[in-house]
Amino acid sequence: MKIPQNKTLLELNLGLLFISTSGVMGRYISMSPPVTVWWRCALGMVFLWMYCRWSGVSLKVILKRDRLVIFISSFLLVAHWITYFYALHWSNVAIAFITLYTFPAMTTLLEPLLLKTGFNKFHLLLGVLVLVGVYVMMPDIDLGNSNFLGMMIGLVSALCFAMRNIYSRDLAQQYDGSHLMWVQLVIGTVLLVPVLFMFENNDFTSQWEALLFLGIVTTALGHTLFLRSFKYFSISTASLLASIIPIYGILLALIFLGEVPSFRTIIGGALVLSTVVIESFRVRIK
């Protein structure tokens, strides 16, 4: 039976909206980022396991030759989430989201270096455009300026995410996306157990609803709906539509947190996001 495209497009946008709630949740939850990310991994892991069992997705053991790569990609995912939540704590949703979305340009620059492929001159041009956008957004270089610190650690988050995606590229050809995400959440949960003894965890009783939302809706449901869209849309099309995530995130922050992005953030963010749209269109029409 053919599924109506309007329904699949609605599911995709719903998934992107769920993913974009990470900004508001990250600002709302007052727990330290490492502890918040542990709960995100743990709750997402449980819910995604239930989803895989319900949908019949096999959770077969990762082959021995792939275990080091899956461990590295899981570590990078955890590092990406922790630094992203620090960016949210130190700056605001707009800055955190836009600096995170420098990852496509970072990916196009890192991939030739890590995988020993040739550089694409057009990608270098897009990389320059991203740098210009970041420069426009950048506040005064001052370690006492929380927005500056938030932007810097946001760029570290983007770097971790770009490297995680590069390391996961071959794995995605061999394993189901939900299976891969579940394994990464399991490893992330185990890796972060020590943070429960290093940071305060007393706020769980007052913020369990937000943590549950982050683990189930933002992480498990959001990413599952996004992965499901690959059955009905090309990855290029899905990636193009995913560039709306920062817009959703900034609008949610405006509605629920009253955060209004500055003019410089809007201009710089437009330059950064334009590279995502340009590259997505370019790939789509090849």
Side-chain angles (χ1 to χ4, degrees):
M1 182 179 70
K2 186 177 180 180
I3 299 177
Q5 182 147 340
N6 286 342
K7 181 181 177 182
T8 57
L9 187 60
L10 178 62
E11 284 187 358
L12 172 57
N13 272 280
L14 190 60
L16 299 178
L17 179 61
F18 287 163
I19 292 172
S20 71
T21 60
S22 63
V24 171
M25 290 295 102
R27 290 284 285 171
Y28 174 77
I29 297 171
S30 60
M31 301 170 74
S32 63
V35 175
T36 301
V37 172
W38 184 85
W39 282 108
R40 179 177 191 175
C41 290
L43 294 171
M45 170 190 71
V46 172
F47 189 83
L48 201 52
W49 177 82
M50 291 189 294
Y51 167 79
C52 290
R53 297 286 292 179
W54 172 74
S55 61
V57 173
S58 173
L59 296 179
K60 59 185 177 182
V61 176
I62 298 292
L63 296 176
K64 189 174 182 179
R65 68 170 186 269
D66 298 324
R67 290 176 187 173
L68 178 60
V69 177
I70 193 72
F71 178 83
I72 292 173
S73 66
S74 302
F75 175 83
L76 289 168
L77 178 63
V78 167
H80 149 63
W81 275 343
I82 291 175
T83 49
Y84 169 61
F85 277 96
Y86 271 117
L88 286 167
H89 279 215
W90 292 348
S91 56
N92 56 49
V93 172
I95 289 176
F97 260 125
I98 293 168
T99 52
L100 172 59
Y101 266 74
T102 60
F103 84 84
M106 290 187 183
T107 302
T108 59
L109 296 175
L110 286 171
E111 194 170 14
L113 293 174
L114 296 176
L115 302 182
K116 309 299 182 185
T117 58
F119 276 100
N120 184 307
K121 292 180 180 179
F122 188 76
H123 288 164
L124 293 176
L125 180 63
L126 291 182
V128 171
L129 186 59
V130 166
L131 290 177
V132 172
V134 170
Y135 176 78
V136 170
M137 285 194 303
M138 186 175 292
D140 295 333
I141 300 176
D142 179 6
L143 294 179
N145 186 325
S146 62
N147 282 336
F148 174 74
L149 291 175
M151 178 175 285
M152 291 301 99
I153 202 164
L155 292 173
V156 173
S157 179
L159 176 62
C160 291
F161 192 50
M163 292 183 65
R164 177 256 188 174
N165 292 342
I166 292 171
Y167 274 105
S168 298
R169 190 188 68 166
D170 291 338
L171 294 172
Q173 306 301 319
Q174 303 174 57
Y175 303 97
D176 181 87
S178 298
H179 178 206
L180 269 181
M181 188 68 186
W182 178 76
V183 172
Q184 290 180 334
L185 290 175
V186 170
I187 294 173
T189 302
V190 174
L191 283 175
L192 289 176
V193 165
V195 308
L196 299 177
F197 304 96
M198 298 166 60
F199 298 91
E200 289 291 334
N201 193 24
N202 298 331
D203 291 337
F204 175 76
T205 53
S206 63
Q207 298 195 316
W208 67 268
E209 299 100 329
L211 289 167
L212 202 62
F213 186 95
L214 179 66
I216 295 177
V217 178
T218 308
T219 305
L221 277 178
H223 285 278
T224 295
L225 287 172
F226 183 59
L227 290 169
R228 272 170 54 88
S229 72
F230 292 167
K231 294 181 180 180
Y232 313 109
F233 298 102
S234 69
I235 294 179
S236 298
T237 300
S239 299
L240 171 61
L241 293 171
S243 64
I244 201 172
I245 288 177
I247 309 300
Y248 280 154
I250 292 170
L251 288 175
L252 289 173
L254 178 64
I255 294 169
F256 292 102
L257 303 176
E259 290 187 359
V260 181
S262 68
F263 180 73
R264 287 176 61 175
T265 300
I266 292 171
I267 298 300
L271 290 172
V272 171
L273 295 180
S274 68
T275 64
V276 180
V277 176
I278 291 170
E279 176 61 7
S280 298
F281 269 121
R282 196 178 73 88
V283 171
R284 189 180 179 189
I285 64 177
K286 277 185 177 181

